[in-house]
Amino acid sequence: MSLLLALAMIADPAQPIERCGYRIVQSYPHDRTSFTQGLFWENGHLYEATGQYGRSRVARLDLKTGKALAQTRLPADQFGEGITRWRDQIIGVTWQGGVGNRWRIKDLKPVGNFKYAGEGWGVTMVGDALVLSDGTSQLRFFDPATMTEQKRVTVRFGSRPLAMLNELETIDGEIWANVWMTDMIVRIDPVSGAITSWIDLSGLKQEAGVRGSDSVLNGIAWDAKQKRLFVTGKYWPKLYEIALADCR
């Protein structure tokens, strides 16, 4: 929290950046061995990507039980990171290997891979572009068919670049991003990179009953049909449906 609060203090006072709280709507079981890196909702199920060498996977999950209905393991030398849906595929990236993967969404079977420069953290689709976070303050936009980079946008909290953007989700045209090692989600204008508001999820990790520096908030999924927002974290035994509070 200290990083975001410090940024809030130096943001332009004439254009304050709104802070939102939250309330828990419902909680669900989550596999506490999952080092959650990517999360999205599609057609009645959660899809999750996990990290760690030799333990990374992409899986279709049952919301009520948290159990994997189908899964595919990544090669042992790949550290899985974010995933997103594109057409009939799931596209995923890896941490430092510069390798991305494609799976068929219907059965999670591999259908190819690709190379890219730099690290991979989170991914999401914004319109026809795949957007990648890489640990810096920049979001990188790619053609998902060819993985040719198209442009970069610098994310700013007020006048200051904000790095450590992790898992990404697109909600109503905005990019929502976990900020690694904080209890915060920031909402980003994908055109300008400006942070329009931030969500303070302080206390949720404690409610989940987890400790340790690795067990951080990470994972955002949006059920567009039912307007449900889900969040979880690395090694958390719970996944939460939440609603925003005390903001517009």
Side-chain angles (χ1 to χ4, degrees):
M1 181 190 299
S2 58
L3 170 64
L4 270 290
L5 288 178
L7 287 168
M9 291 173 66
I10 62 173
D12 184 353
Q15 295 181 321
I17 297 173
E18 184 178 46
R19 171 198 172 277
C20 297
Y22 70 97
R23 62 179 177 85
I24 296 172
V25 177
Q26 194 165 349
S27 65
Y28 300 90
H30 182 250
D31 183 355
R32 68 178 310 142
T33 68
S34 290
F35 192 77
T36 304
Q37 301 283 62
L39 197 69
F40 70 84
W41 178 271
E42 178 64 30
N43 196 26
H45 294 104
L46 283 165
Y47 289 80
E48 182 180 49
T50 65
Q52 302 292 10
Y53 291 111
R55 297 173 58 190
S56 297
R57 70 172 186 174
V58 59
R60 181 186 300 118
L61 305 180
D62 178 71
L63 176 63
K64 291 183 178 180
T65 67
K67 301 294 185 182
L69 301 173
Q71 66 177 358
T72 297
R73 298 282 180 181
L74 275 65
D77 62 348
Q78 292 185 15
F79 194 114
E81 287 278 350
I83 54 172
T84 191
R85 182 194 174 178
W86 177 66
R87 296 181 179 175
D88 63 349
Q89 297 179 7
I90 296 173
I91 298 178
V93 293
T94 59
W95 179 29
Q96 293 182 319
V99 177
N101 295 292
R102 300 176 187 269
W103 302 272
R104 283 192 309 230
I105 195 167
K106 68 178 182 179
D107 56 14
L108 305 188
K109 297 298 184 184
V111 292
N113 52 44
F114 54 89
K115 297 279 190 178
Y116 58 92
E119 295 188 1
W121 287 39
V123 286
T124 190
M125 292 296 301
V126 177
D128 294 329
L130 182 144
V131 181
L132 169 75
S133 62
D134 60 7
T136 72
S137 61
Q138 292 190 323
L139 294 175
R140 300 161 62 189
F141 289 67
F142 292 83
D143 178 339
T146 64
M147 288 307 294
T148 301
E149 187 170 340
Q150 300 171 321
K151 66 176 182 178
R152 300 189 180 198
V153 172
T154 298
V155 175
R156 296 183 182 276
F157 198 106
S159 61
R160 211 175 160 85
L162 180 65
M164 311 300 277
L165 305 169
N166 208 350
E167 214 267 315
L168 306 178
E169 178 78 0
T170 300
I171 303 176
D172 295 335
E174 282 186 326
I175 297 174
W176 294 37
N178 289 118
V179 182
W180 187 50
M181 300 302 291
T182 77
D183 296 320
M184 305 298 163
I185 292 172
V186 292
R187 298 164 65 178
I188 304 163
D189 180 335
V191 176
S192 67
I195 291 172
T196 60
S197 65
W198 56 285
I199 304 158
D200 184 351
L201 292 171
S202 297
L204 198 58
K205 176 178 176 177
Q206 290 73 20
E207 206 284 334
V210 292
R211 297 182 179 180
S213 59
D214 283 341
S215 300
V216 296
L217 183 76
N218 203 48
I220 309 166
W222 174 244
D223 176 2
K225 289 184 179 180
Q226 297 191 47
K227 305 298 183 185
R228 295 186 295 177
L229 176 61
F230 301 102
V231 297
T232 190
K234 302 174 188 288
Y235 300 140
W236 284 22
K238 295 181 182 180
L239 176 138
Y240 296 93
E241 179 188 347
I242 65 168
L244 302 191
D246 305 319
C247 65
R248 292 190 300 270

